[in-house]
C-alpha cells in the first residue's frame, strides 16, 4: 500500500520561504513520479511540479510556469522523501498543498490530477502580506 505524508506547511510573510516534504512508503516501482499540487479555497486543484524517479535516481522535473524560478522539487532517495522548496512566497500561494504518486514517470500531462493514483492528506500554507 502506497502512503504519502506531507509536512512542512505553516504561516509565513510574503517573500518568505518554506520547504514541504512528502514522505513516501510502499512505492515498489522502478519508475515512478511524485507530483505536487495545491488547492486554494473555492478553486480547483492545480499542478505545480513533477519529478520522475528511476531506480532511486532523479530524472526529469517539470514546473508550471507561475512557479518556475521560485519553487524547486527534489528527491532524497535515502529518506524516501520528495521536497518542494518554495521561495519568494506570495499571498496567492496560500493553499493546501498535496503530493501525489504515479506508477509511471511524469507524463506530458503531469499537471492533471487524474494522472496520479495516490494522494497525501495535504499541508496548509498561508502567506500573509
Amino acid at each position: 500500500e502506497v502512503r504519502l505524508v506531507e509536512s512542512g506547511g505553516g504561516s509565513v510573510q510574503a517573500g518568505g520561504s518554506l520547504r514541504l516534504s512528502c514522505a513516501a512508503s510502499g512505492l515498489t516501482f522502478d519508475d515512478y513520479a511524485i507530483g505536487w499540487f495545491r488547492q486554494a479555497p473555492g478553486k480547483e486543484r492545480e499542478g505545480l511540479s513533477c519529478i520522475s524517479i528511476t531506480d532511486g535516481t532523479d530524472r526529469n522535473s517539470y514546473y508550471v510556469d507561475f512557479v518556475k524560478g521560485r519553487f524547486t522539487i527534489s528527491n532524497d532517495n535515502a529518506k524516501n522523501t520528495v521536497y518542494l522548496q518554495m521561495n519568494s512566497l506570495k499571498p496567492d500561494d496560500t493553499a493546501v498543498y498535496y503530493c501525489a504518486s504515479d506508477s509511471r514517470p511524469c507524463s506530458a500531462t503531469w499537471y492533471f490530477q487524474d494522472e496520479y493514483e495516490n494522494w497525501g492528506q495535504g499541508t496548509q500554507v498561508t502567506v500573509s502580506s
Side-chain angles (χ1 to χ4, degrees):
E1 178 185 2
V2 175
R3 185 165 182 253
L4 304 172
V5 179
E6 302 97 335
S7 62
S11 296
V12 296
Q13 290 191 328
S17 298
L18 284 173
R19 188 178 77 161
L20 305 183
S21 300
C22 174
S25 60
L27 287 168
T28 59
F29 316 108
D30 292 333
D31 297 306
Y32 63 94
I34 298 291
W36 280 100
F37 287 74
R38 71 185 184 188
Q39 187 167 18
K43 296 187 177 180
E44 293 189 355
R45 193 169 296 188
E46 57 186 0
L48 304 174
S49 183
C50 183
I51 187 167
S52 297
I53 299 167
T54 300
D55 293 332
T57 301
D58 300 355
R59 295 300 182 194
N60 298 320
S61 58
Y62 303 88
Y63 300 90
V64 69
D65 284 348
F66 59 81
V67 304
K68 284 180 180 178
R70 297 194 302 130
F71 292 7
T72 304
I73 194 169
S74 62
N75 174 49
D76 185 335
N77 189 55
K79 297 182 178 180
N80 293 319
T81 300
V82 171
Y83 302 98
L84 186 69
Q85 177 68 42
M86 305 188 298
N87 299 327
S88 302
L89 285 163
K90 307 173 184 179
D92 285 349
D93 293 318
T94 295
V96 178
Y97 284 68
Y98 300 89
C99 64
S101 70
D102 184 358
S103 56
R104 306 161 298 171
C106 301
S107 72
T109 53
W110 62 266
Y111 42 86
F112 285 138
Q113 57 180 323
D114 290 345
E115 294 284 324
Y116 299 83
E117 297 143 358
N118 300 283
W119 291 81
Q121 83 290 347
T123 185
Q124 176 70 46
V125 171
T126 302
V127 185
S128 58
S129 58

